[in-house]
Amino acid sequence: MSAASQELMLSIRGVETFYGKIQALRGVDVDVHAGEIVTLIGANGAGKSTLMMTICGSPQARSGKILYRGDDITHLPTHDIMSRSIAQSPEGRRIFSRMTVMENLQMGAILEDPSTFNADLEKVFHLFPRLKERRSQRGGTLSGGEQQMLAIGRALMSRPKLLLLDEPSLGLAPLIVKQIFSAIGELNRTEGLTVFLVEQNAFHALRLAHRGYVMVNGSITMSGTGMELLSREEVRSAYLEGGAH
Amino acid sequence: MATTNQPTSSNRPEGAELESEARRAAMQGVPPFNAEPAKRSRLAQSFREAAITAAIVAGLTLFFFAFRTNIATGGLDLAFRPDLWLIWIAIAFVARFLLSYFVFATESPITGFFKRTKSERSSLPIGKILGIVLLLVALTLPFLLDVFLPRQNRYLLDLAILILTYVMLGWGLNIVVGLAGLLDLGYVAFYAVGAYSFALLSINFDLGFWVCLPMAGLFAALWGIMLGFPVLRLRGDYLAIVTLAFGEIIRVVLLNWYDFTGGPNGLLGIPKPTLFGLEFSRGENGFAEYFGLEYNPIQRFIFLYYIILALALLTNFVTMRMRKLPVGRAWEALREDEIACRALGINTVNVKLTAFATGAMFGGFAGSFFATRQGFISPESFTFIESAIILAIVVLGGLGSQLGVVIASVVMIGGIELLRNLTVLDAVFGAGFDPTQYRMLIFGLAMVAIMVWKPRGLISTRVPSVYYKKKKAIGADLVSQGEGH
């Protein structure tokens, strides 16, 4: 992929994060270049979501640096980070379940210039036609897959340059996972959107991503292109064939 | 001893299984049939339940109604009042019987209508029509009273002013509790801040109502922010406790800072509001004289009524507009999910503080109105029970519903006042029965009843603030209970 030669979008250097006394991340280095899809795979409790949350500043890294397009965002408050054209679809989707689909999407664009709202809305509806059908329905009444689409759609409404996705396949049927991953791929191809994807579903994630990282116990143990990682024996046995982690 | 080693149901763990196997074999594949327990008839069942209820009431009220200690010469005298006791037992019996017979024991309870959500009922915008009707009635109330009930004119107008004060307080608290989902048990603190800032400003600096009103609102908002800062990290129960304490702290300070607030003696001589400098008094330069009218004290009440009506409508208008602004949307989103809000780049600190400040500001307005209406304030008026009543109005009305607050205020405040005038009850309970003494009991009963039948408040539907083509109400079971997470 030629993407690697492009601008460095997100650069994580030696990040260590603690929950109280417990160390969750042990010196993590991750790079995401503009226009790339980068995935982070790992078992339960490896620290994938912690890295995602550390990028968002909650909790903040105790040491190390996180640079977003050259700016140090390590110690900024969450809302400051998230208003810098970074959008996140958080783990567990966290849509506003008592608000309608429309209101949820509007919440995504709450900090944006309202003049582009309609165009953005059309884009999201084009990507996920199901959301258009369900636009006046309450978020909580959507199916799991639709809720995930809504969470991604809501994130896209803020016109992000970098999209952070935390386990979008969680608890979804294989067919829906495929749909969502193909939508992410489409966004990347047509809009050039940079995506950082945290996944347990290693097979789909590595097939979609340009590059991947494997995390074990808070450290990165392997990295490489998606296809490279897919063919590695350690990855296959640990994450693809139901082996022990 | 071979027989003792035979497996029986008592000495072998698998005994129960064997037993059921044996039973299955005996039935030869016919599934076991358990006779359904004989169902009592609806009437008998209701009678039984009513009798149990009556017995409980009899036991509970034995020492409240059946016996009474009177002060007699040389000590206390024990009076036995079986009639009052029996009346209460009978009331409980009949009430429970009716409830059981018509609601609990039937397939189609008569309360079914209330249970249905708005979206299931007709598509007519009942809420909107009711709102307009109520607004028209409110606007013309002084004249309606003058025409239809001239004898009780002043009393009813006073009551209407009281109800509107609570409507305004309810709407103010609705911003904090209903929209932002921050449970505030100390709302009366802002009411007190508003009242005392107006009273102190007017007494010490000789300022009028209209100058002080915005200042009182600002002071209250400031206190709202001051309360907001320490509680930013708290949610739900913990937030409720801190706000409760805040309400009490303000009251205790007012009570003990004698030099400044007058302590328990309160503040006297708070000026009445004027209409562009015209006082509502008899004689020179009065309102009546200026317009060539005959002086009548009712004019001042009408004026007060329109002030509180305007203030309440302002509160409502601002709330409705804010719901459509990003900040209002952020309040509602905050109620739903704080983490998601932060993930969208919303500064939750500011959002919470604006909710506290806005709610407090309207509390402050209501407080200065209260002070000018009474002409006298003391810490007595700002006890926890006031906070509780305001919160009850918001919860019973349906969190986040503007119309619900109005209905709940009319029912709670108006209903309690109405009890004063029900001389009919004297005939039942004997002379000297004062229904207002039972107001807290009735209050509690009303709450229990509403929470049983309408667990999310009287008006529990939520109208989305954006819609694609058609406004669609969101049914009661889908609306937040305001638990704030």
Side-chain angles (χ1 to χ4, degrees):
Chain A
M1 212 55 210
S2 61
S5 60
Q6 288 175 2
E7 180 203 359
L8 196 58
M9 185 75 99
L10 182 72
S11 148
I12 300 166
R13 286 280 165 271
V15 161
E16 305 208 321
T17 304
F18 290 75
Y19 290 115
K21 280 184 181 165
I22 299 161
Q23 187 165 11
L25 297 181
R26 302 162 190 274
V28 174
D29 295 310
V30 168
D31 283 327
V32 181
H33 296 94
E36 258 187 327
I37 300 180
V38 173
T39 185
L40 175 68
I41 61 170
N44 267 336
K48 305 185 300 292
S49 289
T50 304
L51 179 62
M52 186 67 105
M53 295 311 291
T54 307
I55 296 171
C56 299
S58 166
Q60 291 189 349
R62 194 169 290 180
S63 63
K65 256 195 165 65
I66 300 173
L67 299 177
Y68 174 67
R69 300 167 98 187
D71 299 335
D72 188 353
I73 58 166
T74 324
H75 298 293
L76 292 180
T78 303
H79 61 89
D80 245 3
I81 297 170
M82 303 316 291
S83 52
R84 289 175 174 237
S85 66
I86 300 178
Q88 188 202 17
S89 157
E91 188 180 14
R93 310 190 270 265
R94 289 193 174 274
I95 56 160
F96 302 114
S97 55
R98 288 139 188 158
M99 294 167 105
T100 61
V101 169
M102 275 293 281
E103 285 175 314
N104 266 284
L105 292 174
Q106 213 179 22
M107 282 306 300
I110 194 160
L111 299 173
E112 299 306 303
D113 181 5
S115 63
T116 59
F117 179 80
N118 286 331
D120 293 338
L121 192 67
E122 281 314 314
K123 241 184 248 169
V124 169
F125 282 163
H126 174 74
L127 195 65
F128 300 118
R130 283 294 271 284
L131 293 183
K132 189 169 187 175
E133 291 166 34
R134 306 248 184 256
R135 64 197 165 227
S136 51
Q137 212 171 307
R138 188 184 69 114
T141 62
L142 301 181
S143 73
E146 289 163 348
Q147 288 190 11
Q148 187 60 57
M149 293 174 192
L150 180 56
I152 297 174
R154 186 179 65 182
L156 291 175
M157 289 301 288
S158 66
R159 329 189 108 214
K161 296 266 191 309
L162 171 63
L163 179 64
L164 308 174
L165 295 173
D166 199 344
E167 301 229 10
S169 74
L170 194 72
L172 300 184
L175 193 67
I176 309 286
V177 174
K178 243 184 176 166
Q179 269 180 33
I180 286 183
F181 276 43
S182 81
I184 297 168
E186 190 189 324
L187 273 172
N188 176 261
R189 276 191 305 279
T190 57
E191 311 256 319
L193 181 70
T194 313
V195 179
F196 182 55
L197 171 70
V198 163
E199 254 307 333
Q200 275 204 60
N201 191 334
F203 180 68
H204 277 294
L206 289 174
R207 282 223 319 197
L208 173 75
H210 301 128
R211 289 190 307 114
Y213 291 86
V214 179
M215 185 178 256
V216 177
N217 282 334
S219 323
I220 301 289
T221 55
M222 272 179 269
S223 64
T225 66
M227 287 303 153
E228 225 172 78
L229 286 176
L230 261 180
S231 59
R232 298 266 290 257
E233 190 49 41
E234 306 96 295
V235 175
R236 293 195 76 88
S237 64
Y239 305 107
L240 297 174
E241 284 151 12
H245 38 261
Chain B
M1 301 290 279
T3 44
T4 50
N5 288 336
Q6 285 299 310
T8 66
S9 59
S10 56
N11 66 359
R12 293 284 292 273
E14 63 269 37
E17 208 174 307
L18 289 174
E19 214 173 280
S20 75
E21 247 171 49
R23 201 188 298 140
R24 230 174 295 149
M27 287 197 212
Q28 294 170 334
V30 180
F33 173 75
N34 289 330
E36 223 175 280
K39 228 179 172 178
R40 286 192 192 82
S41 76
R42 189 173 151 201
L43 193 69
Q45 176 72 16
S46 306
F47 254 116
R48 191 167 164 270
E49 286 170 3
I52 293 172
T53 309
I56 293 172
V57 169
L60 283 178
T61 58
L62 181 66
F63 294 107
F64 294 104
F65 295 124
F67 294 103
R68 185 196 169 103
T69 48
N70 291 324
I71 298 168
T73 45
L76 288 174
D77 185 27
L78 195 65
F80 185 48
R81 302 181 298 175
D83 44 340
L84 185 67
W85 187 43
L86 288 175
I87 284 170
W88 274 102
I89 295 171
I91 288 175
F93 183 85
V94 171
R96 176 67 208 216
F97 179 78
L98 292 176
L99 268 181
S100 292
Y101 195 75
F102 290 110
V103 182
F104 298 141
T106 65
E107 298 287 305
S108 53
I110 50 167
T111 51
F113 176 76
F114 302 109
K115 269 204 166 159
R116 266 184 287 159
T117 54
K118 193 173 159 193
S119 46
E120 283 172 37
R121 265 182 244 149
S122 63
S123 57
L124 262 176
I126 302 168
K128 208 168 187 179
I129 294 170
L130 189 61
I132 291 168
V133 169
L134 279 176
L135 180 65
L136 286 178
V137 169
L139 283 173
T140 52
L141 189 76
F143 306 101
L144 292 177
L145 287 179
D146 199 33
V147 174
F148 294 107
L149 291 159
R151 282 203 7 249
Q152 290 182 302
N153 197 343
R154 186 174 150 174
Y155 164 70
L156 286 176
L157 205 55
D158 214 30
L159 179 59
I161 291 171
L162 187 69
I163 291 174
L164 276 176
T165 314
Y166 279 96
V167 169
M168 178 165 178
L169 287 168
W171 277 342
L173 186 61
N174 211 0
I175 295 174
V176 185
V177 179
L179 292 183
L182 305 162
L183 184 54
D184 185 352
L185 290 181
Y187 192 63
V188 78
F190 308 122
Y191 191 42
V193 167
Y196 269 86
S197 18
F198 165 54
L200 289 168
L201 283 170
S202 66
I203 291 169
N204 294 328
F205 300 104
D206 207 21
L207 295 171
F209 175 72
W210 294 110
V211 182
C212 293
L213 185 70
M215 287 161 85
L218 275 179
F219 275 126
L222 203 70
W223 279 97
I225 292 171
M226 281 173 74
L227 167 66
F229 264 116
V231 302
L232 280 172
R233 292 165 159 275
L234 304 177
R235 311 229 56 177
D237 318 358
Y238 304 100
L239 177 68
I241 293 168
V242 177
T243 52
L244 174 71
F246 182 77
E248 284 303 290
I249 288 169
I250 294 271
R251 190 179 63 85
V252 170
V253 167
L254 292 176
L255 200 59
N256 290 291
W257 197 358
Y258 194 87
D259 302 334
F260 187 58
T261 64
N265 298 339
L267 292 169
L268 265 169
I270 301 164
K272 301 282 172 210
T274 57
L275 179 67
F276 299 109
L278 291 175
E279 280 182 30
F280 286 81
S281 57
R282 196 188 291 277
E284 289 282 304
N285 295 325
F287 169 81
E289 156 120 3
Y290 188 84
F291 286 100
L293 300 168
E294 197 180 326
Y295 173 73
N296 188 344
I298 197 80
Q299 287 157 355
R300 193 169 64 77
F301 283 90
I302 294 176
F303 183 55
L304 280 175
Y305 175 83
Y306 278 115
I307 291 177
I308 188 63
L309 183 62
L311 284 174
L313 289 178
L314 176 78
T315 313
N316 185 30
F317 178 74
V318 170
T319 311
M320 301 299 264
R321 294 300 306 171
M322 280 192 126
R323 254 198 81 195
K324 295 201 166 124
L325 291 176
V327 63
R329 190 74 41 72
W331 287 341
E332 286 197 86
L334 189 71
R335 183 185 68 192
E336 306 280 308
D337 195 323
E338 193 173 336
I339 293 174
C341 278
R342 270 204 296 256
L344 294 173
I346 294 168
N347 186 343
T348 50
V349 171
N350 289 353
V351 171
K352 280 187 190 180
L353 287 182
T354 49
F356 269 120
T358 317
M361 183 181 74
F362 290 116
F365 287 156
S368 33
F369 175 80
F370 174 77
T372 195
R373 181 179 86 110
Q374 300 284 98
F376 162 75
I377 50 168
S378 79
E380 283 290 292
S381 313
F382 307 106
T383 50
F384 170 66
I385 193 71
E386 291 296 318
S387 288
I389 289 176
I390 302 163
L391 187 66
I393 285 173
V394 174
V395 173
L396 293 183
L399 285 164
S401 162
Q402 299 292 91
L403 189 59
V405 166
V406 178
I407 296 171
S409 305
V410 171
V411 170
M412 308 260 299
I413 308 300
I416 285 167
E417 274 300 310
L418 206 66
L419 285 174
R420 253 186 239 280
N421 304 327
L422 289 183
T423 41
V424 193
L425 290 173
D426 282 0
V428 185
F429 297 111
F433 175 79
D434 182 8
T436 48
Q437 285 181 355
Y438 296 92
R439 63 175 241 168
M440 289 329 278
L441 186 70
I442 292 163
F443 209 77
L445 280 177
M447 277 202 210
V448 171
I450 291 175
M451 287 296 117
V452 167
W453 284 310
K454 304 242 26 171
R456 283 157 175 94
L458 291 169
I459 302 209
S460 45
T461 49
R462 174 182 171 271
V463 180
S465 48
V466 274
Y467 40 92
Y468 212 65
K469 287 198 177 78
K470 201 172 115 224
K471 226 184 237 193
K472 205 167 147 197
I474 293 174
D477 48 330
L478 309 178
V479 179
S480 146
Q481 285 186 64
E483 70 278 355
H485 38 74

